[in-house]
Every structure is written in C-alpha cells, then in structure tokens.
Amino acid sequence: QQQVKQSPQSLIVQKGGISIINCAYENTAFDYFPWYQQFPGKGPALLIAIRPDVSEKKEGRFTISFNKSAKQFSLHIMDSQPGDSATYFCAASIQGAQKLVFGQGTRLTINP
Amino acid sequence: DGGITQSPKYLFRKEGQNVTLSCEQNLNHDAMYWYRQDPGQGLRLIYYSQIVNDFQKGDIAEGYSVSREKKESFPLTVTSAQKNPTAFYLCASRGGRASGELFFGEGSRLTVL
C-alpha cells in the first residue's frame, strides 16, 4: 500500500513534443504528490507538486494532472527541450508525515 | 550559500571495509534523510532523523548505521554487513512538517571492489 508505481522506465521524445510520465498509488491517505527532477551526477530537486484538492497544476511548461478516483497522477512536459533530459521521480506522502515514497524513476531523453 | 554538502563525491573501498559518508546542512532543518539510488529502483530510504540524538530505520536499514549528534550533521556508515554496498547515496533534509519538500545533496557514489 505504500508503493508508488511509475511508468515508463525510459522515454525518448523529439524536441518540441510532449513528454508524459505516469504514476499510480494505492494508499488513499496520501495527500501530497511531488515530482523531482534529477540531472546526471546531481541530487534530485523539486520540480512541481500537487495536493488532491485540485485536478491540475501548471508551472510554465510543466503540468501535473491528478485523478483522485483512479489514484493516478501524471507529469506533462510541453514543448520538450533537450535541457529537459533528466531522470524524473514521482513521489507521495501524507501531510505531516516524515517519509516520502518515491516511484522507480523515468529516464527522459529529448532528441534535438 | 545554503544547502546540503555530501562528501566524498566518489569513494572506492575493498570488500569487508566500513565506510562513512558525510552529510552536512546549513539550512537549519530538523529532519534529515539518507536514500540509496540504484538503476530502475528509484530512491529507497535507509535512515531518517527528525531531531538530534534520534533516528529511525527506513525501508533498507540492514547493513547501515547513522548518528545525529548535531543538527547540521547526519553521517552514514556503510558496514561490511551490507551485501551490495555499491550504489549512489543521497542525503536530504526537510524543513517544517508543513513542508513536504526535500532538499538533496549532490550524492556520493560508493564502489566496492
């Protein structure tokens, strides 16, 4: 119940295309869903996060879509750029809880 | 600049040797974490600490030990009991309970020969 399942494991998108990464969870008590971006040799950094009281959150070219009934959330990267090439992790937690549960990660490559 | 500093960045050790990875933060955060990253397995929690002199086991604590003697420091020891210690290790910290954001260091890559 504590797992977050992320797909795909790797993704290749052409420059200017839309990148979509999906995550699914089981624990309905989760109420905080962040996405982290990690460049090679670096630590992950928070990209965007959503709470379940909204179905979508947009920050620039990055959008989280949240489907509470399906227990799924996804990251959409519009107009994907080579600089977006990185590993992306979804995660989930219960507000106030000390632990964040991470998905398995998606290695995104944007071809120029 | 405020942040998390991990050292060393790269470390090579022989089997059977204990190694200690350093993690220092100047963000004045109470909570600190150690994660292990392996390809295709995401980030797995090793240990975490909410306050000085207190820490809890995460999901994969076997073969690891930690201490939290100072708020700023949370070193991780990879002991000889850890069966597969070669990995990328990430330290993180978090501010108050209301904030879910983790701030990560740049990681330490341990290779056991």
Side-chain angles (χ1 to χ4, degrees):
Chain A
Q1 260 218 330
Q2 286 293 97
Q3 280 190 322
V4 176
K5 294 183 179 179
Q6 183 173 346
S7 63
Q9 190 169 355
S10 64
L11 180 63
I12 299 174
V13 174
Q14 291 300 116
K15 179 182 174 182
I18 302 173
S19 304
I20 302 174
I21 304 170
N22 301 299
C23 284
Y25 64 97
E26 288 295 324
N27 189 346
T28 55
F30 286 148
D31 61 0
Y32 173 69
F33 302 91
W35 284 88
Y36 281 78
Q37 180 188 55
Q38 183 184 31
F39 294 106
K42 303 291 185 184
L46 180 65
L47 182 64
I48 186 172
I50 196 169
R51 296 200 186 273
D53 51 344
V54 297
S55 60
E56 185 175 282
K57 182 174 182 180
K58 185 175 180 178
E59 289 184 3
R61 295 184 294 108
F62 301 90
T63 300
I64 299 180
S65 296
F66 184 79
N67 186 330
K68 190 172 182 177
S69 61
K71 291 184 284 186
Q72 294 176 346
F73 59 110
S74 59
L75 176 69
H76 295 236
I77 306 175
M78 311 300 287
D79 187 26
S80 299
Q81 299 297 311
D84 297 329
S85 297
T87 298
Y88 292 81
F89 293 97
C90 63
S93 75
I94 301 168
Q95 186 175 2
Q98 286 295 316
K99 295 196 291 183
L100 204 57
V101 179
F102 285 89
Q104 295 82 356
T106 296
R107 187 169 185 172
L108 174 65
T109 302
I110 307 299
N111 284 336
Chain B
D1 282 7
I4 311 277
T5 301
Q6 290 187 240
S7 63
K9 196 168 178 68
Y10 300 96
L11 187 59
F12 296 87
R13 279 294 182 266
K14 293 182 180 178
E15 265 192 45
Q17 289 183 328
N18 291 355
V19 298
T20 297
L21 307 180
S22 169
C23 178
E24 302 279 330
Q25 56 105 352
N26 60 7
L27 299 167
N28 199 33
H29 286 169
D30 288 316
M32 296 187 74
Y33 304 79
W34 275 104
Y35 286 90
R36 171 178 170 144
Q37 182 175 6
D38 297 282
Q41 297 197 51
L43 304 178
R44 294 183 291 167
L45 183 63
I46 304 172
Y47 268 98
Y48 64 104
S49 168
Q50 300 178 44
I51 56 172
V52 174
N53 292 324
D54 184 56
F55 48 83
Q56 288 80 39
K57 292 182 179 179
D59 301 315
I60 56 165
E62 186 176 349
Y64 300 98
S65 66
V66 294
S67 63
R68 186 87 186 275
E69 297 176 2
K70 297 187 300 182
K71 186 175 185 177
E72 302 80 18
S73 179
F74 191 40
L76 173 74
T77 296
V78 184
T79 75
S80 56
Q82 168 49 234
K83 290 183 171 53
N84 297 299
T86 294
F88 189 53
Y89 291 89
L90 287 159
C91 179
S93 72
R94 192 175 83 167
R97 281 184 174 267
S99 167
E101 182 175 3
L102 292 180
F103 293 83
F104 284 88
E106 294 207 334
S108 293
R109 184 166 298 280
L110 172 63
T111 302
V112 174
L113 306 171

mmCIF file of all heavy atoms in Angstrom, chain A residues 81-104:
data_model
loop_
_atom_site.group_PDB
_atom_site.id
_atom_site.type_symbol
_atom_site.label_atom_id
_atom_site.label_comp_id
_atom_site.label_asym_id
_atom_site.label_seq_id
_atom_site.Cartn_x
_atom_site.Cartn_y
_atom_site.Cartn_z
ATOM 1 N N GLN A 81 12.341 20.145 -24.400
ATOM 2 C CA GLN A 81 13.622 20.660 -24.867
ATOM 3 C C GLN A 81 14.766 19.724 -24.452
ATOM 4 O O GLN A 81 14.649 19.023 -23.449
ATOM 5 C CB GLN A 81 13.863 22.044 -24.282
ATOM 6 C CG GLN A 81 12.827 23.081 -24.670
ATOM 7 C CD GLN A 81 12.824 23.334 -26.173
ATOM 8 O OE1 GLN A 81 13.868 23.546 -26.776
ATOM 9 N NE2 GLN A 81 11.641 23.299 -26.778
ATOM 10 N N PRO A 82 15.867 19.729 -25.201
ATOM 11 C CA PRO A 82 16.998 18.874 -24.816
ATOM 12 C C PRO A 82 17.444 19.080 -23.366
ATOM 13 O O PRO A 82 17.882 18.133 -22.707
ATOM 14 C CB PRO A 82 18.091 19.280 -25.809
ATOM 15 C CG PRO A 82 17.327 19.699 -27.027
ATOM 16 C CD PRO A 82 16.089 20.388 -26.503
ATOM 17 N N GLY A 83 17.306 20.290 -22.856
ATOM 18 C CA GLY A 83 17.662 20.582 -21.473
ATOM 19 C C GLY A 83 16.747 19.914 -20.456
ATOM 20 O O GLY A 83 17.059 19.895 -19.259
ATOM 21 N N ASP A 84 15.627 19.361 -20.918
ATOM 22 C CA ASP A 84 14.719 18.631 -20.026
ATOM 23 C C ASP A 84 15.176 17.193 -19.833
ATOM 24 O O ASP A 84 14.603 16.459 -19.008
ATOM 25 C CB ASP A 84 13.299 18.613 -20.597
ATOM 26 C CG ASP A 84 12.687 19.998 -20.712
ATOM 27 O OD1 ASP A 84 13.028 20.864 -19.881
ATOM 28 O OD2 ASP A 84 11.881 20.209 -21.642
ATOM 29 N N SER A 85 16.176 16.761 -20.598
ATOM 30 C CA SER A 85 16.689 15.392 -20.473
ATOM 31 C C SER A 85 17.224 15.178 -19.072
ATOM 32 O O SER A 85 18.164 15.854 -18.634
ATOM 33 C CB SER A 85 17.788 15.136 -21.505
ATOM 34 O OG SER A 85 17.277 15.232 -22.808
ATOM 35 N N ALA A 86 16.606 14.261 -18.358
ATOM 36 C CA ALA A 86 16.921 14.032 -16.946
ATOM 37 C C ALA A 86 16.136 12.805 -16.488
ATOM 38 O O ALA A 86 15.364 12.226 -17.257
ATOM 39 C CB ALA A 86 16.521 15.247 -16.102
ATOM 40 N N THR A 87 16.331 12.432 -15.235
ATOM 41 C CA THR A 87 15.501 11.394 -14.626
ATOM 42 C C THR A 87 14.448 12.067 -13.766
ATOM 43 O O THR A 87 14.760 12.995 -13.004
ATOM 44 C CB THR A 87 16.359 10.439 -13.781
ATOM 45 O OG1 THR A 87 17.309 9.788 -14.630
ATOM 46 C CG2 THR A 87 15.489 9.380 -13.115
ATOM 47 N N TYR A 88 13.224 11.630 -13.905
ATOM 48 C CA TYR A 88 12.108 12.213 -13.176
ATOM 49 C C TYR A 88 11.533 11.178 -12.203
ATOM 50 O O TYR A 88 11.318 10.023 -12.564
ATOM 51 C CB TYR A 88 11.025 12.689 -14.146
ATOM 52 C CG TYR A 88 11.484 13.859 -14.976
ATOM 53 C CD1 TYR A 88 12.287 13.667 -16.103
ATOM 54 C CD2 TYR A 88 11.158 15.165 -14.628
ATOM 55 C CE1 TYR A 88 12.745 14.731 -16.854
ATOM 56 C CE2 TYR A 88 11.610 16.245 -15.371
ATOM 57 C CZ TYR A 88 12.399 16.015 -16.483
ATOM 58 O OH TYR A 88 12.863 17.087 -17.222
ATOM 59 N N PHE A 89 11.289 11.631 -10.986
ATOM 60 C CA PHE A 89 10.700 10.774 -9.955
ATOM 61 C C PHE A 89 9.387 11.369 -9.482
ATOM 62 O O PHE A 89 9.330 12.558 -9.143
ATOM 63 C CB PHE A 89 11.624 10.671 -8.733
ATOM 64 C CG PHE A 89 12.918 9.960 -8.982
ATOM 65 C CD1 PHE A 89 14.071 10.670 -9.266
ATOM 66 C CD2 PHE A 89 12.988 8.582 -8.914
ATOM 67 C CE1 PHE A 89 15.271 10.019 -9.490
ATOM 68 C CE2 PHE A 89 14.188 7.915 -9.131
ATOM 69 C CZ PHE A 89 15.329 8.641 -9.426
ATOM 70 N N CYS A 90 8.341 10.557 -9.451
ATOM 71 C CA CYS A 90 7.144 10.968 -8.744
ATOM 72 C C CYS A 90 7.270 10.481 -7.301
ATOM 73 O O CYS A 90 8.088 9.610 -6.998
ATOM 74 C CB CYS A 90 5.892 10.418 -9.395
ATOM 75 S SG CYS A 90 5.773 8.611 -9.394
ATOM 76 N N ALA A 91 6.479 11.054 -6.429
ATOM 77 C CA ALA A 91 6.517 10.673 -5.026
ATOM 78 C C ALA A 91 5.171 10.968 -4.385
ATOM 79 O O ALA A 91 4.327 11.657 -4.967
ATOM 80 C CB ALA A 91 7.638 11.405 -4.297
ATOM 81 N N ALA A 92 4.984 10.439 -3.190
ATOM 82 C CA ALA A 92 3.734 10.672 -2.462
ATOM 83 C C ALA A 92 3.999 10.606 -0.972
ATOM 84 O O ALA A 92 4.902 9.889 -0.516
ATOM 85 C CB ALA A 92 2.678 9.643 -2.862
ATOM 86 N N SER A 93 3.213 11.370 -0.241
ATOM 87 C CA SER A 93 3.319 11.295 1.217
ATOM 88 C C SER A 93 2.014 11.767 1.835
ATOM 89 O O SER A 93 1.127 12.286 1.166
ATOM 90 C CB SER A 93 4.483 12.147 1.737
ATOM 91 O OG SER A 93 4.152 13.518 1.692
ATOM 92 N N ILE A 94 1.942 11.566 3.128
ATOM 93 C CA ILE A 94 0.835 12.077 3.917
ATOM 94 C C ILE A 94 1.323 13.352 4.578
ATOM 95 O O ILE A 94 2.417 13.371 5.158
ATOM 96 C CB ILE A 94 0.403 11.052 4.981
ATOM 97 C CG1 ILE A 94 -0.008 9.747 4.299
ATOM 98 C CG2 ILE A 94 -0.718 11.608 5.860
ATOM 99 C CD1 ILE A 94 -0.175 8.581 5.246
ATOM 100 N N GLN A 95 0.538 14.421 4.484
ATOM 101 C CA GLN A 95 0.973 15.706 5.028
ATOM 102 C C GLN A 95 1.338 15.570 6.500
ATOM 103 O O GLN A 95 0.587 14.987 7.288
ATOM 104 C CB GLN A 95 -0.128 16.747 4.879
ATOM 105 C CG GLN A 95 0.318 18.154 5.293
ATOM 106 C CD GLN A 95 -0.737 19.192 5.023
ATOM 107 O OE1 GLN A 95 -1.812 18.864 4.566
ATOM 108 N NE2 GLN A 95 -0.420 20.439 5.304
ATOM 109 N N GLY A 96 2.491 16.091 6.847
ATOM 110 C CA GLY A 96 2.943 15.996 8.226
ATOM 111 C C GLY A 96 3.746 14.751 8.509
ATOM 112 O O GLY A 96 4.453 14.674 9.503
ATOM 113 N N ALA A 97 3.643 13.766 7.624
ATOM 114 C CA ALA A 97 4.431 12.543 7.815
ATOM 115 C C ALA A 97 5.873 12.815 7.435
ATOM 116 O O ALA A 97 6.179 13.696 6.652
ATOM 117 C CB ALA A 97 3.853 11.418 6.969
ATOM 118 N N GLN A 98 6.762 12.031 7.989
ATOM 119 C CA GLN A 98 8.173 12.284 7.771
ATOM 120 C C GLN A 98 8.721 11.621 6.513
ATOM 121 O O GLN A 98 9.799 11.970 6.069
ATOM 122 C CB GLN A 98 8.969 11.805 8.986
ATOM 123 C CG GLN A 98 8.801 12.723 10.189
ATOM 124 C CD GLN A 98 9.370 14.106 9.941
ATOM 125 O OE1 GLN A 98 10.464 14.245 9.400
ATOM 126 N NE2 GLN A 98 8.623 15.137 10.302
ATOM 127 N N LYS A 99 7.999 10.662 5.968
ATOM 128 C CA LYS A 99 8.561 9.882 4.860
ATOM 129 C C LYS A 99 7.862 10.178 3.546
ATOM 130 O O LYS A 99 6.650 10.298 3.464
ATOM 131 C CB LYS A 99 8.462 8.394 5.161
ATOM 132 C CG LYS A 99 9.316 7.962 6.346
ATOM 133 C CD LYS A 99 9.511 6.466 6.400
ATOM 134 C CE LYS A 99 8.247 5.734 6.745
ATOM 135 N NZ LYS A 99 8.481 4.273 6.858
ATOM 136 N N LEU A 100 8.685 10.263 2.500
ATOM 137 C CA LEU A 100 8.205 10.432 1.135
ATOM 138 C C LEU A 100 8.455 9.104 0.419
ATOM 139 O O LEU A 100 9.548 8.556 0.502
ATOM 140 C CB LEU A 100 8.998 11.559 0.475
ATOM 141 C CG LEU A 100 8.407 12.329 -0.686
ATOM 142 C CD1 LEU A 100 7.095 12.966 -0.314
ATOM 143 C CD2 LEU A 100 9.402 13.390 -1.137
ATOM 144 N N VAL A 101 7.446 8.587 -0.281
ATOM 145 C CA VAL A 101 7.600 7.337 -1.029
ATOM 146 C C VAL A 101 7.820 7.688 -2.494
ATOM 147 O O VAL A 101 7.005 8.410 -3.090
ATOM 148 C CB VAL A 101 6.339 6.453 -0.892
ATOM 149 C CG1 VAL A 101 6.514 5.174 -1.688
ATOM 150 C CG2 VAL A 101 6.069 6.147 0.575
ATOM 151 N N PHE A 102 8.904 7.203 -3.072
ATOM 152 C CA PHE A 102 9.258 7.545 -4.441
ATOM 153 C C PHE A 102 8.893 6.444 -5.425
ATOM 154 O O PHE A 102 8.931 5.255 -5.091
ATOM 155 C CB PHE A 102 10.769 7.797 -4.548
ATOM 156 C CG PHE A 102 11.207 9.114 -3.979
ATOM 157 C CD1 PHE A 102 11.560 9.238 -2.654
ATOM 158 C CD2 PHE A 102 11.268 10.244 -4.794
ATOM 159 C CE1 PHE A 102 11.963 10.459 -2.131
ATOM 160 C CE2 PHE A 102 11.679 11.462 -4.291
ATOM 161 C CZ PHE A 102 12.020 11.574 -2.954
ATOM 162 N N GLY A 103 8.559 6.867 -6.649
ATOM 163 C CA GLY A 103 8.426 5.931 -7.748
ATOM 164 C C GLY A 103 9.797 5.487 -8.225
ATOM 165 O O GLY A 103 10.825 5.947 -7.729
ATOM 166 N N GLN A 104 9.808 4.599 -9.230
ATOM 167 C CA GLN A 104 11.058 3.986 -9.673
ATOM 168 C C GLN A 104 11.901 4.887 -10.563
ATOM 169 O O GLN A 104 13.060 4.591 -10.833
ATOM 170 C CB GLN A 104 10.755 2.667 -10.411
ATOM 171 C CG GLN A 104 10.130 1.603 -9.537
ATOM 172 C CD GLN A 104 8.633 1.774 -9.369
ATOM 173 O OE1 GLN A 104 8.023 2.728 -9.828
ATOM 174 N NE2 GLN A 104 8.028 0.819 -8.684
#
